[in-house]
Amino acid sequence: MSRRRIIGPIFFNDTITAERYRTQILDTFLNQLHDDEIREGYFQQDGATAHTARATLQYLEQFYDNRLISKGLWPPRSPDLTPLDFFLFPTLKNNVFRNRLHTLDELRAAIIEELERISPETLEKVFDNMKRRVELCREHNGGHFEQFL
């Protein structure tokens, strides 16, 4: 997810190891990026083992250098700061599960449909909101700030 667009979703069935994360998810994702998105963008991920394996971090640093936000560089358990956690996942959950889904294919189709409904204007607002959240987090030395949103 970026200020401009949502890439994906990327569905997978296997247990994710560091190698599968790089080959099945990161390669697929990176191949869809525009040059400026790699050159100027930041890449944020959580602290999952597959994400923080040495080989994975070295792989990502080739593209993002010091613009990689990963384990140890982002306050732990900070869903109030990440657009995926404060916007995308709750939006998908609320909208996808309005209807009863019976199959995995129905679930995948519903996710894709909801992602396509998110407008570029909404993405701009979400990232403006993230910037405000980060500023508030800094102003409050990493403490609680939700009451100021």
Side-chain angles (χ1 to χ4, degrees), residues 3-116:
R3 179 179 286 275
R4 278 194 275 185
R5 63 195 180 117
I6 295 175
I7 296 170
I10 300 168
F11 296 108
F12 55 91
N13 295 318
D14 299 322
T15 300
I16 294 300
T17 63
E19 183 178 344
R20 284 187 184 133
Y21 177 59
R22 289 189 304 277
T23 60
Q24 294 179 10
I25 297 175
L26 289 179
D27 284 347
T28 303
F29 170 76
L30 291 166
N31 287 330
Q32 295 180 55
L33 295 179
H34 301 131
D35 289 343
D36 68 310
E37 291 173 313
I38 293 175
R39 190 176 56 252
E40 299 168 17
Y42 284 77
F43 185 87
Q44 180 181 353
Q45 61 182 2
D46 63 19
T49 305
H51 301 176
T52 58
R54 184 177 315 190
T56 299
L57 293 175
Q58 289 172 344
Y59 178 74
L60 285 168
E61 285 170 356
Q62 294 175 61
F63 302 96
Y64 291 99
D65 192 31
N66 64 347
R67 294 170 291 111
L68 173 61
I69 302 168
S70 192
K71 186 177 180 181
L73 301 173
W74 196 255
R77 294 171 293 287
S78 299
D80 49 343
L81 294 176
T82 65
L84 295 174
D85 289 332
F86 75 76
F87 169 73
L88 188 62
F89 297 150
T91 298
L92 288 176
K93 181 180 176 186
N94 289 337
N95 295 337
V96 165
F97 292 108
R98 273 193 195 140
N99 299 316
R100 189 173 180 100
L101 304 170
H102 301 283
T103 67
L104 192 53
D105 287 338
E106 288 178 358
L107 175 60
R108 288 178 176 161
I111 291 169
I112 291 167
E113 183 178 325
E114 288 303 323
L115 288 173
E116 289 172 349

